[in-house]
Amino acid sequence: MKALKNIGVLTSGGDSPGMNAAIRAVVRACKFNNVDCIGIYRGYQGLIEGDCIALDARSVKNVINRGGTFLKSARSKDFFSEEGRKKAFNKLQEHHIDALVAIGGDGTFAGASVFYEEHDFPIIGVPGTIDNDIRGTDFTIGYDTALNTVIEAIDKIRDTANSHNRLFLVEVMGRNAGDIALNAGIGAGAEEILIPEQDMGVNRLVESLKRSRKSGKTSSIVVVAEGDKIGKNIFELAEYIEGNFENYEVRVTVLGHIQRGGAPSCYDRVLASRLGIGAVDMLLAGEKNVMIGIQHKKLVSVPFAEAIAGTNEIDLDLLRVADITSI
């Protein structure tokens, strides 16, 4: 492999807190290794259009504490086509970029894998998504911050639930992964947690809530992952529950994109810094077509094919903790 002189960095897909910290780490790792760094705006779409800017150590000052991504992010339909990917490759050559760090989720890595297969271009992926749904890494950038955002919101909702004897259904993000719902539900003391990995069933949920009422609970919080399959949507579920309880008001809160925003937690800033530097180290060592992840506090490389093969399995111990603490 030829010596790398220019490394590009982009963020793609949904934004997550800590992406700026990861960009910062990539840029400063390049500077440390006497390699030029080029930022690419708007992910793969910006790459296709050649929307690039030279970055140095001072370009990324005061960004480690900012949420989102200053390089912007986008989902590119053009990159799905072979013609679009060819344009992207030509732009990389035009800007003399020798390798690429792609920060994002499974869609980002799927595109990177196809691009590598077609053009044999060195790419390292950095997992940045609040969903924590990437196989091969214990945590993704932004997940810890999103959890803390959800916890803070549910703590406030519980004040109102207790004041009015209400049942609140709180929908959290996570797509088809229940990590946010399960961990936030335990941390916030939820009475029930609904996740895609465990089909609780609406009848069992109602029976559980009835037991809670009989035990003396006058209000309840139910955390629902957005990918949960009970009912067509959370509002339909609320109507069903309300029809089975007298004098019990049911309210729905969809936290939505508030979970993606805000300053990254300390954990996410440190994780992003480690992964960003590790990505540059891997490229300089000749690795490509892999994601850098963290397992048992150690950095690891994971082939893209494995990283996008599916979500991590849910922690059964946490399910037991949730069941016991919700009595």
Side-chain angles (χ1 to χ4, degrees):
M1 181 178 176
K2 68 177 183 179
L4 302 181
K5 296 181 179 180
N6 297 283
I7 293 178
V9 58
L10 60 79
T11 50
S12 175
D15 64 288
S16 64
M19 279 186 165
N20 280 325
I23 297 168
R24 172 180 180 270
V26 170
V27 173
R28 293 191 171 176
C30 285
K31 176 64 176 179
F32 181 82
N33 289 283
N34 297 314
V35 176
D36 290 332
C37 188
I38 299 175
I40 300 164
Y41 287 110
R42 297 178 294 112
Y44 292 131
Q45 189 61 39
L47 177 57
I48 290 172
E49 298 172 10
D51 193 1
C52 304
I53 183 174
L55 298 174
D56 59 27
R58 301 285 71 78
S59 300
V60 290
K61 66 179 181 180
N62 300 327
V63 301
I64 194 171
N65 60 316
R66 289 166 49 189
T69 163
F70 77 87
L71 286 180
K72 309 294 184 182
S73 187
R75 290 182 170 88
S76 173
K77 292 182 179 179
D78 293 336
F79 200 74
F80 281 101
S81 69
E82 186 176 347
E83 180 183 0
R85 293 189 294 273
K86 178 62 176 177
K87 289 181 179 178
F89 179 70
N90 290 339
K91 289 298 180 181
L92 287 168
Q93 292 186 312
E94 181 181 320
H95 288 273
H96 306 290
I97 298 175
D98 304 314
L100 186 64
V101 175
I103 306 168
D106 55 357
T108 301
F109 299 159
S113 181
V114 173
F115 189 77
Y116 168 78
E117 295 297 333
E118 291 177 347
H119 300 286
D120 191 27
F121 191 86
I123 305 180
I124 299 292
V126 174
T129 168
I130 68 168
D131 299 333
N132 205 44
D133 60 350
I134 303 296
R135 186 180 291 273
T137 184
D138 293 338
F139 300 105
T140 58
I141 298 169
Y143 171 63
D144 183 72
T145 305
L147 274 182
N148 284 288
T149 298
V150 171
I151 287 289
E152 182 180 357
I154 295 177
D155 285 347
K156 293 177 179 179
I157 289 170
R158 185 175 290 282
D159 291 341
T160 293
N162 289 335
S163 299
H164 295 275
N165 293 345
R166 287 174 176 166
L167 183 153
F168 268 88
L169 301 180
V170 183
E171 183 182 274
V172 301
M173 282 181 160
R175 292 196 302 178
N176 295 316
D179 288 62
I180 291 178
L182 180 56
N183 284 272
I186 293 173
E191 279 65 36
E192 291 295 344
I193 304 168
L194 307 183
I195 58 176
E197 294 87 346
Q198 297 284 318
D199 186 8
M200 184 177 191
V202 67
N203 292 328
R204 181 185 161 196
L205 172 61
V206 169
E207 289 303 313
S208 175
L209 293 173
K210 286 180 178 178
R211 287 195 299 272
S212 294
R213 289 298 299 273
K214 288 181 180 179
S215 70
K217 291 185 178 181
T218 58
S219 64
S220 294
I221 299 289
V222 177
V223 178
V224 185
E226 63 181 346
D228 185 72
K229 302 301 188 293
I230 296 183
K232 292 181 180 179
N233 55 58
I234 194 171
F235 296 99
E236 182 184 80
L237 178 60
E239 290 180 4
Y240 184 89
I241 294 173
E242 198 161 40
N244 284 271
F245 286 89
E246 294 183 0
N247 303 319
Y248 204 13
E249 296 181 81
V250 181
R251 294 290 184 268
V252 172
T253 298
V254 179
L255 294 183
H257 285 77
I258 189 176
Q259 297 159 86
R260 281 190 181 174
S265 65
C266 179
Y267 182 87
D268 275 328
R269 298 182 198 193
V270 175
L271 176 63
S273 299
R274 291 187 68 189
L275 294 179
I277 292 171
V280 173
D281 288 343
M282 284 185 176
L283 285 172
L284 295 176
E287 289 200 58
K288 50 189 176 181
N289 198 35
V290 298
M291 173 196 79
I292 183 170
I294 187 164
Q295 296 178 12
H296 308 295
K297 299 183 179 181
K298 301 294 184 182
L299 297 184
V300 296
S301 63
V302 182
F304 280 139
E306 180 181 336
I308 62 178
T311 60
N312 290 319
E313 294 182 0
I314 205 71
D315 190 333
L316 297 180
D317 286 338
L318 284 181
L319 288 175
R320 182 171 181 269
V321 169
D323 287 340
I324 293 173
T325 56
S326 64
I327 292 177

